Amino acid sequence: MRSIFLETHNIRNLYTGFGQFNFNLAKALSGENEFLNEHEVVINCNSDVAKKELGKRLSYNKYWPITRYPLFRIKEKFNLWHSVNQNTKIEPFSNKIPYLLTVHDVNFLNEEQGKKLNFRINQFKSKLERSRAVVYISEFAKKSTHNYFKVPDIPEYVIYNGNTFNNHSTISTDTFTNFIPNKPFIFSIGKLVEKKNFHTLIEMLLFLTDIDLVIAGEMKTGYAEILKRMIQKYKLEKRVFLLGNITESEKIFYYKNCLAFAFPSLREGFGLPVLEAMTFGKPVFLSINTSLPEIGGEKSFYWENFEAEYMASVFVEGMTMFENNKDMFTAEYIQRSQQFTWENAAKQYIEIYKSIL
């Protein structure tokens, strides 16, 4: 039986984008019984919560942080090594193991500097050079990689992430949260870091009346403190609410009950929350940047710049269009959200695994 190792140690933190990607791809692979009858899929994971959800059809390698260092790399001779994101430092000990790389983005070129940037560039080049094939999670991710790096003459594929809420049993059940805004609210979600550009939503709110703003996501960042100070400066404590990390049930509650979903991010390799919001037929307002138009499609509304009054005007015009054609917009959003499934993603990955093996 041939073995495929997925470097998925980020699965330990399901509140992050990489954690969600790792978990949902592994979950979809665990349902591919015909493939698993002939291949062993090994997940790099020491999360008991994830293991319980993923089940016994997969195998598990206990993750040790020390394996990030060359001397202590994993020595097992797998038939295929899948590096599931471009940032992971964990590599196989042997360079002879066939290697597949998934590229989510090359945002580190804009986000890092100095020695850290040089490390990221050299690390990424090394991953490209050892790869037998490369998968990108969007056409934008592929294009930006080619813009900045020399990609070897190897097979390249674009496999879109799945919509986490497709066929999600909890969507139809009652959801609960400790905090319910008193007014109609705009919802957004993501780790509170500069590239998410959440401060523009706060400034936009100054030009909107009787609407609140709810932002969920990890708050242990310097940017979170900037947002808190901005809320105080504009005296918006009763209109803007930073929730921190929330549960899946709470996330569903806010998607189901929000007036609209807003995502003014500056840099995205994909943009999964966009599809999640569409699942509920909500109007979607996005920045025009990077991969978001590719995922948002023609029926989303886009900000071409982030001047607050302009953003508010786009929002008002978009909401008017949505309300005047609500059935059409809702159906289009839901239909688009269902086009992206983890089951399809897993099947496409399996075909690539087979081609490399």
Side-chain angles (χ1 to χ4, degrees), residues 42-60:
V42 183
I43 306 298
N44 200 21
C45 169
N46 56 2
S47 166
D48 291 334
V49 173
K51 288 180 183 179
K52 184 177 179 180
E53 286 287 326
L54 294 174
K56 297 181 180 180
R57 292 288 286 156
L58 304 178
S59 300
Y60 300 95

Side-chain angles (χ1 to χ4, degrees), residues 24 36 65 71 83-84 86 94 110 123-124 170 193 206 216 224 234 253 263-264 271 296 315 324 329 344:
N24 285 295
L36 292 176
L71 187 62
S83 183
V84 296
Q86 70 284 342
S94 171
N110 302 106
Q123 179 192 40
F124 189 62
T170 60
V193 292
L206 296 172
Y234 294 130
F253 174 89
F263 206 55
F315 182 81
N324 289 339
F329 271 100
N344 285 343

Side-chain angles (χ1 to χ4, degrees), residues 2 53 61-62 117 150-152 160 178 185 194 205 208 214 222 231 278 302-303 326 331:
R2 289 173 292 184
E53 286 287 326
N61 178 78
K62 185 173 178 60
L117 175 58
K150 183 179 180 181
V151 180
Y160 289 119
N178 288 318
F185 64 93
E194 286 81 356
L205 215 63
L208 299 173
V214 174
I231 293 168
M278 286 182 173
Y302 295 96
W303 290 302
K326 193 167 186 176

Side-chain angles (χ1 to χ4, degrees), residues 78-345:
F78 300 101
N79 297 107
L80 171 61
W81 183 287
H82 181 185
S83 183
V84 296
N85 79 66
Q86 70 284 342
N87 293 335
T88 178
K89 298 177 183 177
I90 299 169
E91 304 285 11
F93 192 84
S94 171
N95 288 327
K96 296 180 180 179
I97 295 177
Y99 191 93
L100 172 66
L101 172 64
T102 294
V103 177
H104 296 250
D105 58 61
V106 289
N107 287 343
F108 58 84
L109 294 171
N110 302 106
E111 297 168 2
E112 308 289 359
Q113 54 187 346
K115 291 182 179 180
K116 195 168 184 180
L117 175 58
N118 290 335
F119 172 82
R120 290 291 190 196
I121 290 172
N122 291 330
Q123 179 192 40
F124 189 62
K125 286 181 177 178
S126 176
K127 284 177 176 288
L128 287 173
E129 289 167 1
R130 74 188 303 171
S131 295
R132 299 281 183 91
V134 180
V135 174
Y136 306 93
I137 66 169
S138 65
E139 292 290 349
F140 174 80
K142 179 179 179 180
K143 179 181 177 182
S144 56
T145 299
H146 278 267
N147 283 345
Y148 294 103
F149 293 92
K150 183 179 180 181
V151 180
D153 185 17
I154 55 177
E156 297 179 86
Y157 309 87
V158 173
I159 299 179
Y160 289 119
N161 295 346
N163 175 8
T164 312
F165 290 148
N166 273 342
N167 304 317
H168 200 300
S169 61
T170 60
I171 287 180
S172 60
T173 64
D174 293 334
T175 55
F176 173 78
T177 180
N178 288 318
F179 173 72
I180 302 175
N182 294 320
K183 298 177 182 177
F185 64 93
I186 299 167
F187 181 54
S188 194
I189 189 168
K191 186 176 181 179
L192 271 59
V193 292
E194 286 81 356
K195 73 176 182 178
K196 297 299 184 182
N197 211 23
F198 290 131
H199 69 278
T200 63
L201 298 179
I202 296 174
E203 293 172 334
M204 178 184 72
L205 215 63
L206 296 172
F207 295 91
L208 299 173
T209 58
D210 297 320
I211 296 176
D212 289 345
L213 172 63
V214 174
I215 302 174
E218 183 182 330
M219 292 176 59
K220 295 179 180 178
T221 64
Y223 185 62
E225 298 305 314
I226 292 174
L227 296 183
K228 290 176 184 177
R229 291 195 294 270
M230 180 178 288
I231 293 168
Q232 293 175 343
K233 173 185 175 182
Y234 294 130
K235 301 186 184 331
L236 292 173
E237 292 91 341
K238 294 183 178 180
R239 295 185 62 199
V240 181
F241 306 96
L242 307 179
L243 302 186
N245 288 328
I246 58 176
T247 66
E248 283 294 290
S249 179
E250 288 174 315
K251 182 164 67 170
I252 293 169
F253 174 89
Y254 291 116
Y255 280 133
K256 287 174 69 173
N257 293 283
C258 68
L259 178 68
F261 177 75
F263 206 55
S265 181
L266 298 174
R267 294 184 294 277
E268 293 293 328
F270 186 75
L272 182 57
V274 177
L275 295 180
E276 292 179 340
M278 286 182 173
T279 305
F280 302 92
K282 296 297 180 175
V284 174
F285 294 84
L286 310 171
S287 79
I288 199 74
N289 294 313
T290 60
S291 65
L292 292 178
E294 184 180 345
I295 306 306
E298 295 180 356
K299 290 299 185 289
S300 294
F301 304 100
Y302 295 96
W303 290 302
E304 295 184 2
N305 66 70
F306 303 106
E307 192 276 322
E309 190 169 4
Y310 158 77
M311 289 181 69
S313 69
V314 171
F315 182 81
V316 171
E317 291 172 11
M319 289 304 302
T320 301
M321 290 180 61
F322 177 82
E323 292 297 336
N324 289 339
N325 300 274
K326 193 167 186 176
D327 290 344
M328 181 273 290
F329 271 100
T330 299
E332 290 271 0
Y333 282 139
I334 294 173
Q335 181 181 22
R336 184 167 184 80
S337 77
Q338 292 174 345
Q339 294 173 6
F340 299 78
T341 72
W342 283 109
E343 290 75 16
N344 285 343

